[in-house]
Amino acid sequence: MEPDSETSNFAVVVVVDQWGAALTNTYGNTCFETDQLNLLATQSLLFENVITPEAGLFEAYRSFTTSQWFARLQSAGIKCSLLTDDLALADHPIADAFDDVFTAPVQPATRSAETLEETELAQFFAQANDWLAKVDTRESGICWIHSRGLGAAWDAPYSIRQSFADEDDPAPPTFFETPECVFDEEPDPDQLLSFQQACVAQVAVLDNCLGALLQQLDEPKFASSILSFLSLRGFPLGEHRKIGGALSNGDCYAESVHVPMMLRIPPRTQTESVALVRSQSLVQPGQVLSAMEAFLVGDQERLSQILDQFAFSLPDQSREVAISHAGERTMIQTHAWKLIYEPTSDKVELYVKPDDRWEVNEVAKRCPQVVSQLKSILLEQEDGGPIVLAPELYNWE
């Protein structure tokens, strides 16, 4: 498809809240299909190891505003517009970072939907498609689309839930409210299965909605636009005895902070295609969005440098560190270790990466030196100093 010659530098950012990396095929899930997200992955630079800076939604957005990302774009004349179905986000001071804020109210669910189109998510994405259809991409700008994602009602048609149940499984649940609970002890496997069946049905709805959005973005006027897909936090599904994250503002475990992120870049901006490239770098969303900033302001040299760093070079494991917060807990992760630290109680948890993907084997007592070094780095980061890791912190073999 040939780009429109009048098209300026334009970007679309799609944020789907609480869609963790573990809920997609492209990040290793083989239990169900996410065909539309898989398609986007074939067109994009996919980041394997993105860690959200905060497990709370407003806090995650605040990390963008405190880094002055939006401010720099606005000073460069880049208009930033937000469309969301999350009224709390639209009313929050974080929304002031955008030039325009639009809400897309949906008919609240009172039961499971009869058809996919009646779901809260489908209602929102239909409005997002209408919004994009009216956008003038000849003016540099960003359309930022924020969906509640798995925070919306779990109102997928019951037939979709049934399609994910095996013959010997209990009947899928009928609830439609977004689940949130914490278990005092290990939950019953059948109970967990019911939450998982309901969640998979919602993911199927989300994937379908994403497909419709991608069709809209295949229109000629978007041919020269950059697209970023991401989530800012995941959705626990029984790992560490928790369903959902709102009760405790999230947590620092992988199911909450490891998020998907893809960047689709128009060919005219590249000397080499980044489609189908998987970046193994350990990054946080703001680092990836820096590539979008370079694209929007027309800094081709900087964009090439960023793409070379993430797509065509091996990760610098001695310097790559991700830090995330959730309530009173802080996490620091390298390519070899992950430490979760609670300063008020001095409680620590340590996990080996990437082997212990689900963080079930806690090894802090066996590796006190690693714990001490990582805690020291966390304290040093309060002063904003650069990080250079000792070899044992990024290569444990």
Side-chain angles (χ1 to χ4, degrees), residues 29-347:
N29 192 312
T30 59
C31 298
F32 52 87
E33 297 296 323
T34 50
D35 293 334
Q36 300 304 320
L37 198 59
N38 297 348
L39 173 62
L40 179 59
T42 67
Q43 305 166 350
S44 306
L45 170 58
L46 184 146
F47 291 82
E48 291 270 14
N49 303 301
V50 178
I51 304 297
T52 185
E54 299 279 353
L57 177 62
F58 297 141
E59 291 78 9
Y61 266 105
R62 189 175 294 118
S63 70
F64 296 145
T65 57
T66 55
S67 68
Q68 299 300 305
W69 190 78
F70 285 108
R72 290 195 301 272
L73 291 177
Q74 290 169 343
S75 65
I78 307 297
K79 184 177 180 180
C80 303
S81 300
L82 168 68
L83 175 72
T84 181
D85 60 349
D86 191 334
L87 300 184
L89 178 63
D91 290 338
H92 196 275
I94 295 298
D96 292 341
F98 296 89
D99 297 286
D100 294 315
V101 177
F102 304 96
T103 57
V106 300
Q107 186 66 33
T110 57
R111 54 176 174 76
S112 294
E114 295 293 331
T115 66
L116 188 148
E117 291 75 20
E118 295 174 353
T119 62
E120 290 188 1
L121 289 170
Q123 292 179 58
F124 169 69
F125 277 96
Q127 294 180 71
N129 282 334
D130 290 342
W131 187 51
L132 289 174
K134 300 173 184 176
V135 166
D136 184 357
T137 58
R138 292 172 298 181
E139 299 180 5
S140 295
I142 298 178
C143 280
W144 190 291
I145 299 170
H146 177 98
S147 164
R148 287 176 296 159
L150 289 177
W154 285 25
D155 58 349
Y158 190 71
S159 60
I160 298 180
R161 293 187 185 184
Q162 290 176 311
S163 69
F164 291 109
D166 293 332
E167 184 177 347
D168 297 331
D169 288 345
T174 58
F175 69 82
F176 64 89
E177 302 89 351
T178 308
E180 293 283 347
C181 57
V182 177
F183 301 102
D184 293 330
E185 55 188 27
E186 290 300 322
D188 177 81
D190 284 345
Q191 186 180 18
L192 280 184
L193 178 62
S194 70
F195 288 116
Q196 292 163 0
Q197 290 169 335
C199 181
V200 171
Q202 288 304 116
V203 170
V205 172
L206 278 167
D207 193 59
N208 184 279
C209 293
L210 180 62
L213 192 72
L214 291 177
Q215 286 184 356
Q216 178 71 257
L217 294 174
D218 281 338
E219 292 295 317
K221 71 176 184 178
F222 291 107
S224 295
S225 300
I226 192 170
L227 167 65
S228 179
F229 169 85
L230 71 151
S231 183
L232 291 178
R233 53 180 175 165
F235 193 97
L237 270 176
E239 308 93 341
H240 303 95
R241 298 189 295 191
K242 179 180 291 186
I243 301 291
L247 287 176
S248 59
N249 203 25
D251 214 323
C252 288
Y253 296 111
E255 59 268 19
S256 295
V257 300
H258 182 203
V259 295
M261 189 160 192
M262 304 177 194
L263 198 63
R264 191 174 76 177
I265 303 175
R268 70 179 176 86
T269 66
Q270 304 165 211
T271 55
E272 297 180 73
S273 174
V274 296
L276 279 175
V277 175
R278 286 177 173 261
S279 173
Q280 301 298 325
S281 292
L282 181 62
V283 297
Q284 302 199 265
Q287 294 171 266
V288 180
L289 291 178
S290 63
M292 181 173 290
E293 178 185 349
F295 170 84
L296 287 166
V297 301
D299 191 340
Q300 180 63 42
E301 180 179 357
R302 183 176 173 222
L303 176 60
S304 297
Q305 291 173 345
I306 294 170
L307 294 181
D308 181 67
Q309 175 188 352
F310 289 140
F312 306 119
S313 302
L314 293 175
D316 184 354
Q317 296 188 352
S318 66
R319 294 181 181 272
E320 291 187 350
V321 171
I323 296 175
S324 183
H325 304 277
E328 296 183 349
R329 310 186 90 191
T330 300
M331 178 223 80
I332 179 170
Q333 184 169 331
T334 73
H335 282 272
W337 302 98
K338 175 173 176 176
L339 179 78
I340 299 176
Y341 177 47
E342 189 173 297
T344 55
S345 63
D346 203 34
K347 179 182 177 181

